[in-house]
Amino acid sequence: MTESAQLTGVVPPLVTPLTPEYDVDTASLARLVQYQLAGGVSGVFVLGTSGEGTFLTDEQRQVVLETTVAEVAGQVPVLAGVIDTSTNRVSAHVSAALKAGVDALVVTAPFYAATHPAEIERHFVRLKSVAGDTPLYAYDIPPRAGTKLPASLITSLAEQGVIAGVKDSSGQETSLRELVLQRREKKLDLTIMTGSEVTVDSSLAFGVDGVVPGLGNVDPAGYVRLYNAAVAGDAAAARAEQDRLFRLFDIIKVADRSRMGASSAALGAFKGGLYLLGVIDCPVTAYPSIALNDGEIAAIRPLLDRAGLH
Amino acid sequence: MTESAQLTGVVPPLVTPLTPEYDVDTASLARLVQYQLAGGVSGVFVLGTSGEGTFLTDEQRQVVLETTVAEVAGQVPVLAGVIDTSTNRVSAHVSAALKAGVDALVVTAPFYAATHPAEIERHFVRLKSVAGDTPLYAYDIPPRAGTKLPASLITSLAEQGVIAGVKDSSGQETSLRELVLQRREKKLDLTIMTGSEVTVDSSLAFGVDGVVPGLGNVDPAGYVRLYNAAVAGDAAAARAEQDRLFRLFDIIKVADRSRMGASSAALGAFKGGLYLLGVIDCPVTAYPSIALNDGEIAAIRPLLDRAGLH
Amino acid sequence: MTESAQLTGVVPPLVTPLTPEYDVDTASLARLVQYQLAGGVSGVFVLGTSGEGTFLTDEQRQVVLETTVAEVAGQVPVLAGVIDTSTNRVSAHVSAALKAGVDALVVTAPFYAATHPAEIERHFVRLKSVAGDTPLYAYDIPPRAGTKLPASLITSLAEQGVIAGVKDSSGQETSLRELVLQRREKKLDLTIMTGSEVTVDSSLAFGVDGVVPGLGNVDPAGYVRLYNAAVAGDAAAARAEQDRLFRLFDIIKVADRSRMGASSAALGAFKGGLYLLGVIDCPVTAYPSIALNDGEIAAIRPLLDRAGLH
Amino acid sequence: MTESAQLTGVVPPLVTPLTPEYDVDTASLARLVQYQLAGGVSGVFVLGTSGEGTFLTDEQRQVVLETTVAEVAGQVPVLAGVIDTSTNRVSAHVSAALKAGVDALVVTAPFYAATHPAEIERHFVRLKSVAGDTPLYAYDIPPRAGTKLPASLITSLAEQGVIAGVKDSSGQETSLRELVLQRREKKLDLTIMTGSEVTVDSSLAFGVDGVVPGLGNVDPAGYVRLYNAAVAGDAAAARAEQDRLFRLFDIIKVADRSRMGASSAALGAFKGGLYLLGVIDCPVTAYPSIALNDGEIAAIRPLLDRAGLH
C-alpha cells in the first residue's frame, strides 16, 4: 500500500489468540488470518483495541506483527495499532511496526494525561515524521482514549498530509457525517472508516469508505457481503445483512457483567465465537481480564446458529 | 521502609524537570529533591501523574529513579509510580523500579480497556507477587485511570496484604471518609493518603495519614507546616495554612486553556513556579504538551509573592 | 387520529412565537402553522422542547394549544407535549390538552428526581388512564430528561397498549435500530419517529416511520422532500436533501455560546430563520433565555440562501 | 427572619409525609415539625428535593406550606423550595409561598432546557423582584438541576443583593471552599450552607454556616449536637458525631436498587426511619416512586439501633 492507495471495504481489527498461559498462539493467529482472507477482507488491523495491544509486552506485540505480516504475505494491507499513552512511547511502537513490515499505522490521541487538540496535533505530526511514507490512520475512540478527535483536527491533519485516514469508533453518526461532508467540500484526500459493527449500511450509504468491525473477526464474509451489497446500490440486501449481524452482535451480551468488564465481555465473545467455529484453540482474553466461563461460551453457540455460522 | 512502616506526612509527587530538548534534567531534579528535603517532606513520589511518567521512555524513567534514589540517599522513602495500561507492562516497570532501589510502588488500575473491580484485583495481586516485600500503594485517580477504586476493593486488597496503602486523588470526600471508617472498623493495616491539594486540613482532621500534593513541588514547607499544625491539633493554624495554599493553587489557572490541556496547565504552573523560585532551569512540560508562554510564567510571580514564596 | 392510525412522515416540533414582551404571538403562530401545512407536513407537535413548553405558564400553554388546533382545523394531527417533572403535574397537562382537542400526547420520563425504569413505567401507565383513547407517544430525550428510555421499557409499554409510539431524540443510532428490530421480531404496533435533524435518510432506510425535526420549523418542505425520496426508494435524492439540511443546521452555530446556552442558541436560530423568512414577527426566545443579537440573526441569512430558502 | 438575619445551624429539608393514597398527611407532617423543633433545629426547609416538591400538585404544595407555617408558629424560620423548570413557573410558586407566610425561598437554576450562567442570573434577578424583601437562597444541586452554579455567579448575585445565601448540594468540597474564601475576601453578605449529610464537621471547620441534611429528618438532634460541638471548637466530638451519622446514612442502602431509583431509595429510607420512630404514619414516597417493601423497612431498624435512635 502506498500513501496514495485508498483503503476501502472490510478491515477487521483482529483479536490476538492466546494460549491458556497468556502467550501469543501463533498457530491460531495464522488460522485467524486465513479465515479473514477466505472471507474476502480488504485488510487486517492488528494490535488495536480488539487486539488487546495495550495488554501485550513489546515482545508479544512483535510476534503478532511478524506472524501476521508473514501469513498475509502481501495479499492485503496489514494495519498495526501503535496505541500508547504518549508520543515517545508510540514512536517506539511505530519503529517496531515498520521493522516488521506493516503497511499502515493506527494512532490514537495520547491518553491518561488530559490533552488538548493542539497537543494531539503535535502528537500526530511528530509521529508522521517517524513513520515516513507509511500512512497513519487516526483512531477516534473516545471511551478508551478519553477524548473525541474534533472534525477540525482531522481535516487539518489531512490537509497537512499527516494522516491518510480515520477510523471512527466514536459511535457519533453526526460527527461522522460532518467529516464526510467536509471531505467533499474541501476535496480532502482522507479515507473514512467506521468502527461500528451495527450501523455499517447507513454509514456506507452516506459516504464512508469501509468498516473496521470487531465482530468481523467472527463473520468476515458477512461484512464483505454487506459491503458489496452497499457499493452495488442494493440497500435492501445491505440492510438485511446488517440486521443479521446486528443480532449476531448479541454475543457480547452472553457474559455476566457483574463479574467482568465491558472489554472482557466483548472480546471474550469474539474469541468464544472463533473458538466454537474452530478457528482458534482457546478463547482466553489477556490477563487480568476475566474469561468467559463454559456456560457463557456455550451460550454463544445458538447465536452463531441463528446467524447461519457453523 | 519495611512493609510494616507506616507512611505519614507530606509526600509530594515530584515533577520531572526537563531540558528544552525534552531530556531529563538531572541537575534540576537533584535540586528539586534537595528543595523537598529542606522543606521537611516525609517522602517523595516520582513518576506519578505530576511526574509525567506516562510521557517518558523507559530509559528516561530509569534516569529519574536512579537520580532520585541517589539524591535522597535514604533520608526519606522514595515512592515510584509504575503507571501503565496493563499488568504485563506495569510488571516491567516494577522490576525496573526495584532495581533502582525504590522503597515503594504506586499502582493505578489498568486503563484504556474498561475493567471490572475483579479484574483490577487480579492486577494488584499479580503485581504484589512481582514486588515481593516492597509495599504497593493503590493510586485512585478516576479522571485519568477511568475508574474509581471501590472501597470494598481497597479493603479487600489490604486484608490480603496486597497493598500497604492508598493514594486517593478521586476528590470524593465521602468515599475517602468511608475508607477511614472501614479501616477503623475492620482494624486494617492501611495507609490512607489524600492527593488533593486544597482539602488537606479537613482530610487530616477526619483521619487520613498524609498528603501527596502536586502543589507541594512548589511549597513543600507550607504543606509540612499544615501537616504539623493538624497533627498538633491546631485546627486554626492548619486552616490558615490551607487557605494560603488554596490561593497559591490559583497558579494552575494562569495558562490559557484555549490552547492547552488541563494537565499541561497544572504541571506547567508547578514547573513555572519552581523555575521562578530558581529550583529548576526550564519550565517545559513533556512533549506533546504545550508549555506555558512567557506571559503565563510571569503571571505566576505575583501569586508566589502573595503566598510569601520568594 | 384514532389509536390505530399510524403516524408517519414529517411532524415538526413547532417553536412558540413570542412577542418582545414574552407573550404568545398567536398571529405568528397561525402563520407558522400555515407555513408547515403548505410545506406538506404530516402533523405538528407543539409544546415540545422546541416549543419551550417548560418555559410557559399554564395559560400560555393553553393559548398555544387552542390556536394550533383551530388553525390546523383537522388537516393533520396535532401532537401536544405534556412535559413536566412528575405524574401529577403531567396529568394536569394531559387534561388541559385533551380539553383543547389535540390528537395525541407526547410524554417524557419524570425528571429532576432520579427515576428507575419501573417507576417510569408506572408514570406512563397512569397517564394512559388519564388520556383514554388519545394516543401517547414516549419522548426519549436523555440530555433533557436525564435518563435513556430502555428499549425493553418501550416495547413493554407498546405490548401493554400504553404507548402508540416513540419519538427518539437520543441520538443513539444503535438503540434506535434495536427498537426497529424488536418491533419486527415482536410484531409490535409501535410508531417510531426520530428526533434527529441530520440522520433522517439513514433512519428511514433502516425502518423508522418519520421524523420530528426542530429544523423542520424553518424548512418543512425540505424534510417532506427528503421523506418522500426515502419512501420512494431514491436513496441518492434523500441523501442529497439530507446533506443540504445538514448544512442548513449550521444555523445553530451562529450564536456566541459564551453568552447563552445550547437551547437558546438552537431555538434562537430556528426562530431567527423563521423571522428572516417572514413567518414570525419576533425571534425572541422565552425568558430567561438570552436572544440572538442582530449580528447573529444576520449571520443566519447566508445559510438560508445557501440552502435555497428565501 | 429579616433579610439581614443570618441563617446558621441545622435546617433539615423535611420530607412530605403521605397517606397510602398519596395525599399529604398533615397530622404526620405536624408531628415531624414538632420532632424537628424538639431536636433543636434552626429552621426547616419544605418542598425541597427531600420534600418531593416536584411530585406534588400546587394544591398539595400549599397544604404543606400552610401546615408547616402554622405548626412552626414562628419559632424558627420556614424556608420553602420553589423548584420548577423556568422563571415563569417558579414565580408562581414564589407568590404562593409568600401568601402562605414563609420566611425564605430556595431556588434552583432552571432545568430541562440547557441554560447558561448569564441566563441563570436573569432567572434569579427576576425572582428577587417577585420575592421582595423575602430572602432567596440559591440551591446548587447539579445532579438534579443539570448544572453547577459557578462561584462567580453566586458571588455576583450576592453582591447585587439578589440572594441571601446558598445551599450547596454539589458534593464538591473544593468549590465550597472557594466560595467561603471569596466571601471573606470580598466581604460578602452571604450565608453558606452545605447540603451534604456526611461532611458537616469538615465544612463547619472551614467556615460554612450550617447544614441542610436530608438525614436530619431522622436524627435532627444528632446534627444539632454535631453543629454545637463544631462551633464550640470541640473537633473530636464533632467528628465522633459525624462518624455516627455517617453510618446512620447507610439506611439509604437498604433498598434494592434494581427495582427503584436513587431518589426513591434515599427518601424511602428517611421516611422508613421516621415511620419506625413513630413520627409519621406511612413511609410511602410520591407516585410514581416505588416504596420500600416490608423487608427493606425492617432492615432500617438495626441501623437506627446502632445509631442509638429508638
Side-chain angles (χ1 to χ4, degrees), chain B residues 177 181 184-185 205-206, chain D residues 10 35 39 196-202 204 211 213 215-216 218-231 234-250 303-309:
Chain B
R177 288 188 85 127
L181 279 181
R184 190 174 69 197
E185 292 162 356
F206 65 67
Chain D
V10 178
Y35 181 65
S196 167
E197 279 87 355
V198 294
T199 60
V200 183
D201 56 343
S202 298
L204 292 170
V211 59
L215 185 62
V218 180
D219 193 3
Y223 276 100
V224 170
R225 284 194 301 272
L226 164 50
Y227 176 77
N228 289 339
V231 295
D234 189 347
R239 181 183 163 196
E241 198 64 49
Q242 179 64 86
D243 286 349
R244 187 186 60 82
L245 290 163
F246 196 104
R247 277 291 167 249
L248 177 59
F249 200 51
D250 286 344
L303 299 175
L304 296 178
D305 288 344
R306 186 175 68 180
L309 294 176

Side-chain angles (χ1 to χ4, degrees), chain D residues 227-309:
Chain D
Y227 176 77
N228 289 339
V231 295
D234 189 347
R239 181 183 163 196
E241 198 64 49
Q242 179 64 86
D243 286 349
R244 187 186 60 82
L245 290 163
F246 196 104
R247 277 291 167 249
L248 177 59
F249 200 51
D250 286 344
I251 61 174
I252 70 168
K253 299 177 189 166
V254 302
D256 177 359
R257 287 294 306 282
S258 73
R259 63 185 197 89
M260 73 179 70
S263 297
S264 305
L267 299 184
F270 298 160
K271 289 187 168 181
L274 288 166
Y275 168 74
L276 291 173
L277 293 171
V279 179
I280 68 172
D281 286 340
C282 170
V284 75
T285 43
Y287 193 91
S289 305
I290 288 176
L292 271 60
N293 60 30
D294 291 349
E296 290 164 340
I297 294 286
I300 295 172
R301 178 82 70 182
L303 299 175
L304 296 178
D305 288 344
R306 186 175 68 180
L309 294 176

Side-chain angles (χ1 to χ4, degrees), chain C residues 25-36:
Chain C
D25 177 350
T26 53
S28 287
L29 177 55
R31 281 198 302 276
L32 175 59
V33 168
Q34 293 304 333
Y35 181 63
Q36 297 294 321

Side-chain angles (χ1 to χ4, degrees), chain C residues 22 49 53-58 60-61 83-89 93 108 110-116 118-119 122-123 126 139 141 143-145 257-264 287-290, chain D residues 22 49 53-58 60-61 83-89 93 108 110-116 118-119 122-123 126 139 141 143-145 257-264 287-290:
Chain C
Y22 299 111
T49 309
T54 58
F55 288 90
L56 305 180
T57 65
D58 288 350
Q60 291 174 320
R61 291 168 73 115
I83 297 170
D84 214 323
T85 51
S86 61
T87 314
N88 267 335
R89 298 180 160 269
H93 296 309
T108 68
F111 51 91
Y112 187 79
T115 49
H116 185 274
E119 296 170 328
R122 279 156 59 93
H123 177 69
R126 172 73 61 91
Y139 188 179
I141 185 164
R144 303 276 73 76
R257 288 291 307 283
S258 74
R259 64 185 198 88
M260 73 179 71
S263 295
S264 305
Y287 194 90
S289 305
I290 288 176
Chain D
Y22 299 111
T49 309
T54 56
F55 287 90
L56 305 179
T57 64
D58 287 351
Q60 291 174 319
R61 292 167 73 117
I83 298 171
D84 214 323
T85 50
S86 60
T87 313
N88 267 333
R89 299 180 157 269
H93 297 307
T108 68
F111 51 92
Y112 188 82
T115 48
H116 184 275
E119 296 170 327
R122 279 156 59 94
H123 177 69
R126 172 72 60 91
Y139 188 178
I141 184 164
R144 303 275 72 78
R257 287 294 306 282
S258 73
R259 63 185 197 89
M260 73 179 70
S263 297
S264 305
Y287 193 91
S289 305
I290 288 176

Side-chain angles (χ1 to χ4, degrees), chain B residues 53-91:
Chain B
T54 57
F55 288 90
L56 305 180
T57 64
D58 288 350
E59 294 69 28
Q60 290 174 320
R61 291 167 74 117
Q62 214 59 20
V63 169
V64 170
L65 292 171
E66 290 171 2
T67 303
T68 305
V69 168
E71 195 70 25
V72 168
Q75 300 175 69
V76 296
V78 175
L79 289 73
V82 287
I83 299 169
D84 214 323
T85 50
S86 62
T87 314
N88 266 334
R89 297 179 160 269
V90 176
S91 287

Side-chain angles (χ1 to χ4, degrees), chain C residues 67-280:
Chain C
T67 304
T68 306
V69 168
E71 194 69 25
V72 167
Q75 301 177 66
V76 296
V78 175
L79 288 73
V82 287
I83 297 170
D84 214 323
T85 51
S86 61
T87 314
N88 267 335
R89 298 180 160 269
V90 177
S91 287
H93 296 309
V94 167
S95 299
L98 292 179
K99 194 174 150 198
V102 306
D103 300 291
L105 301 155
V106 184
V107 182
T108 68
F111 51 91
Y112 187 79
T115 49
H116 185 274
E119 296 170 328
I120 299 172
E121 180 158 4
R122 279 156 59 93
H123 177 69
F124 276 97
V125 168
R126 172 73 61 91
L127 292 168
K128 180 59 181 167
S129 75
V130 178
D133 287 344
T134 304
L136 295 191
Y137 288 84
Y139 188 179
D140 191 20
I141 185 164
R144 303 276 73 76
T147 188
K148 173 86 184 75
L149 300 182
S152 56
L153 172 60
I154 291 172
T155 57
S156 167
L157 290 170
E159 286 170 330
Q160 297 174 59
V162 172
I163 59 171
V166 59
K167 179 199 168 189
D168 184 315
S169 294
S170 72
Q172 298 177 24
E173 187 183 353
T174 300
S175 69
L176 189 53
R177 287 188 85 127
E178 175 69 38
L179 215 49
V180 170
L181 279 182
Q182 289 200 19
R183 174 172 66 176
R184 190 174 67 196
E185 292 161 356
K186 298 181 178 176
K187 304 188 195 313
L188 299 175
D189 189 13
L190 178 75
T191 294
I192 303 174
M193 307 286 282
T194 177
S196 167
E197 277 87 355
V198 293
T199 59
V200 184
D201 55 344
S202 298
S203 295
L204 292 171
F206 65 69
V208 309
D209 302 302
V211 59
V212 187
L215 184 62
N217 279 281
V218 180
D219 193 3
Y223 276 100
V224 171
R225 283 194 301 272
L226 164 50
Y227 176 78
N228 289 337
V231 296
D234 188 346
R239 181 182 164 197
E241 197 65 47
Q242 179 64 86
D243 285 349
R244 186 185 62 82
L245 290 162
F246 196 105
R247 277 292 166 249
L248 177 59
F249 200 51
D250 286 344
I251 62 174
I252 71 170
K253 300 178 188 165
V254 304
D256 177 359
R257 288 291 307 283
S258 74
R259 64 185 198 88
M260 73 179 71
S263 295
S264 305
L267 299 184
F270 297 159
K271 288 186 168 181
L274 287 167
Y275 168 75
L276 291 172
L277 292 171
V279 178
I280 68 173

